[in-house]
């Protein structure tokens, strides 16, 4: 059996693929505008089933993947807690995932363990029924589909102002353990003339491995800073993130004061006129909810874009994307 295409890490995508996926996503959104288009989308994969295996908390990613499946007619099964599966009886996660592959055509998984998806993909490739795996978040390591929806949102926002070239993007918060920042940075690295500002307290600076990758990326420049106000004033996009304290060893995050890195109403006059404010969510105090009223706040739209980007990705993985380009419907 042919090896399926797994979605494991952001850096597996190149610019051509991203451009293709953005267009595919736009076409899917267009189709969804009419009942006929919606019925057509639902007919594309209504013979398929997907497993949503989410053993780490999730609201948006889970719901957007589930909705993406429904939009395409895919029936979804779910496990959200390994204590309700046979892992409780001592079954290994490897055996559990191989079991799912007996029943479904696609596995979408989120786990607190970095690297588990890669391991599973390898394992499934060696079985007689290898189904594709989509990484929906693997510990502090990777969140490739979040990076796709973030890029889609940025691409739409930058369309009128000449694209990514020359843009400054500030990434703020817990950059050390935030998988969204890590995956997004890996995609942004492919766009020449982009400048990244990593804005955090000392304790939450990006990891050494990402720093090395950034330094090797041609055409990209980056800076690490703790000057929040200067960074947001210079940015064409601001990507806010929360403290990832679920990875604390002993509550150490509590000792770090992040207040200086929160976006409040008083900061809005400092921002560029067309600045794009983003957040992968969930948010805590990083963005005052009153900022939501500002037209530059794009995070709710970003959240919905996640569903459309995931629909596009699934059509691609399951080989029906060639049936999407029909905007006259
Ligand atoms: C992010 C995640 O799970 O990494 N959330 C999401 O998927 N939208 C960000 C976070 O939890 O802080």
């Amino acid at each position: 059996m042919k090896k399926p295409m797994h979605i494991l890490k952001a850096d597996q995508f190149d610019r051509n693929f991203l451009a293709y996926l953005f267009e595919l996503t736009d076409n899917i959104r267009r189709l969804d505008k009419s009942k006929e288009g919606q019925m057509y989308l639902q007919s594309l994969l209504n013979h398929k089933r997907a497993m949503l295996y989410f053993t780490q908390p999730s609201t948006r990613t889970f719901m957007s993947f589930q909705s993406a499946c429904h939009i395409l007619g895919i029936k979804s099964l779910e496990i959200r807690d390994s204590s309700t599966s046979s892992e409780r009886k001592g079954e290994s996660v490897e055996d559990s995932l191989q079991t799912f592959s007996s029943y479904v055509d696609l596995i979408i998984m989120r786990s607190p363990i970095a690297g588990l998806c890669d391991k599973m993909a390898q394992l499934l490739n060696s079985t007689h029924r290898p189904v594709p795996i989509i990484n929906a978040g693997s510990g502090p390591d990777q969140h490739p589909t979040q990076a796709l929806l973030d890029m889609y949102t940025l691409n739409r926002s930058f369309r009128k102002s000449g694209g990514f070239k020359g843009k400054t993007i500030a990434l703020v918060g817990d950059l050390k353990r935030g998988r969204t920042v890590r995956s997004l940075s890996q995609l942004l690295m492919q766009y020449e003339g982009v400048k990244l500002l990593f804005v955090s307290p000392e304790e939450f600076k990006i990891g050494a491995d990402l720093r090395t990758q950034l330094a090797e990326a041609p055409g990209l420049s980056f800076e690490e800073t703790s000057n929040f106000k200067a960074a947001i004033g210079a940015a064409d996009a601001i990507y806010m993130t929360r403290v990832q304290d679920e990875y604390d060893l002993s509550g150490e995050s509590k000792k770090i004061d992040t207040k200086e890195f929160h976006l409040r109403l008083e900061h809005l006059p400092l921002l560029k006129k067309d600045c794009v404010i983003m957040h992968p969510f969930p948010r805590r105090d990083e963005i005052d909810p009153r900022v939501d009223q500002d037209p530059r706040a794009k995070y709710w739209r970003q959240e919905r874009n996640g569903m459309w980007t995931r629909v596009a990705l699934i059509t691609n993985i399951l080989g029906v994307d060639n049936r999407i380009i029909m905007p006259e419907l």
Side-chain angles (χ1 to χ4, degrees):
M1 208 168 176
K2 194 170 144 265
K3 278 189 193 158
M5 178 191 176
H6 303 291
I7 306 299
L8 303 174
K9 290 181 161 66
D11 60 9
Q12 77 184 74
F13 308 118
D14 62 18
R15 271 186 78 154
N16 287 340
F17 179 80
L18 290 177
Y20 173 68
L21 196 83
F22 298 159
E23 199 189 324
L24 192 61
T25 307
D26 285 343
N27 284 329
I28 285 166
R29 291 176 63 175
R30 237 168 267 145
L31 276 171
D32 185 75
K33 287 197 194 311
S34 69
K35 186 172 177 194
E36 291 78 7
Q38 289 176 6
M39 304 292 281
Y40 177 73
L41 287 169
Q42 273 178 39
S43 74
L44 290 177
L45 289 167
N46 60 6
H47 55 304
K48 299 285 185 190
R49 289 182 302 279
M51 180 72 196
L52 293 155
Y53 176 74
F54 276 59
T55 54
Q56 200 185 24
S58 176
T59 306
R60 272 147 291 276
T61 306
F62 180 84
M63 286 192 66
S64 71
F65 265 118
Q66 193 174 44
S67 305
C69 286
H70 295 171
I71 287 168
L72 291 166
I74 301 174
K75 282 122 199 132
S76 58
L77 292 78
E78 63 185 69
I79 285 187
R80 302 208 61 178
D81 180 355
S82 58
S83 70
T84 63
S85 78
S86 280
E87 281 175 52
R88 188 67 188 263
K89 299 189 210 163
E91 184 168 63
S92 67
V93 65
E94 286 87 349
D95 281 3
S96 290
L97 279 148
Q98 196 168 333
T99 300
F100 305 153
S101 74
S102 306
Y103 304 121
V104 299
D105 308 287
L106 171 67
I107 295 174
I108 303 163
M109 64 181 281
R110 165 173 287 199
S111 128
I113 307 164
L116 183 65
C117 291
D118 309 64
K119 206 168 140 197
M120 288 307 130
Q122 267 181 28
L123 177 88
L124 287 184
N125 282 349
S126 69
T127 66
H128 68 279
R129 197 168 188 281
V131 300
I133 288 193
I134 302 180
N135 178 357
S138 49
D141 176 35
Q142 280 285 329
H143 198 348
T145 64
Q146 178 74 40
L148 291 177
L149 76 94
D150 293 340
M151 289 301 285
Y152 177 77
T153 306
L154 285 169
N155 186 58
R156 279 181 79 86
S157 309
F158 291 161
R159 230 159 19 190
K160 282 200 214 96
S161 58
F164 283 85
K165 206 165 193 152
K167 295 293 193 296
T168 298
I169 300 165
L171 301 121
V172 187
D174 184 347
L175 311 176
K176 186 175 162 195
R177 303 174 293 185
R179 57 192 173 195
T180 62
V181 164
R182 192 186 179 71
S183 291
L184 176 58
S185 304
Q186 288 176 340
L187 292 187
L188 287 167
M189 270 178 219
Q190 302 189 32
Y191 289 72
E192 271 160 55
V194 166
K195 179 168 186 183
L196 302 184
L197 300 175
F198 293 98
V199 192
S200 72
E202 188 60 30
E203 296 86 342
F204 290 149
K205 282 171 88 166
I206 54 168
D209 58 338
L210 181 59
R211 193 172 297 120
T212 308
Q213 284 181 28
L214 288 160
E216 285 167 1
L220 174 122
S221 61
F222 75 99
E223 242 175 68
E224 295 178 66
T225 175
S226 56
N227 190 339
F228 178 71
K229 280 192 192 163
I232 59 169
D236 299 291
I238 303 170
Y239 192 89
M240 301 293 294
T241 66
R242 72 176 170 93
V243 174
Q244 307 283 311
D245 47 14
E246 62 268 48
Y247 301 113
D248 275 6
L249 297 174
S250 57
E252 61 272 23
S253 298
K254 279 200 195 71
K255 297 183 202 112
I256 303 163
D257 187 5
T258 53
K259 270 199 224 61
E260 246 183 83
F261 300 87
H262 293 172
L263 188 65
R264 293 187 295 270
L265 281 183
E266 75 218 46
H267 294 128
L268 292 177
L270 301 175
L271 267 48
K272 287 191 181 176
K273 186 170 71 48
D274 295 320
C275 181
V276 187
I277 309 170
M278 294 170 63
H279 195 309
F281 279 174
R283 80 172 141 188
R284 291 177 184 167
D285 306 323
E286 306 82 48
I287 304 182
D288 184 324
R290 288 172 296 176
V291 172
D292 297 10
Q293 304 310 317
D294 191 283
R296 292 168 291 187
K298 296 284 189 272
Y299 27 90
W300 292 107
R301 199 170 297 173
Q302 176 191 359
E303 180 178 86
R304 192 163 159 83
N305 287 344
M307 181 176 76
W308 298 122
T309 320
R310 288 169 175 135
V311 172
L313 187 67
I314 293 173
T315 63
N316 178 253
I317 298 171
L318 295 181
V320 291
D321 48 338
N322 57 347
R323 296 176 57 197
I324 293 293
I325 317 292
M326 42 189 348
E328 70 277 5
L329 252 182

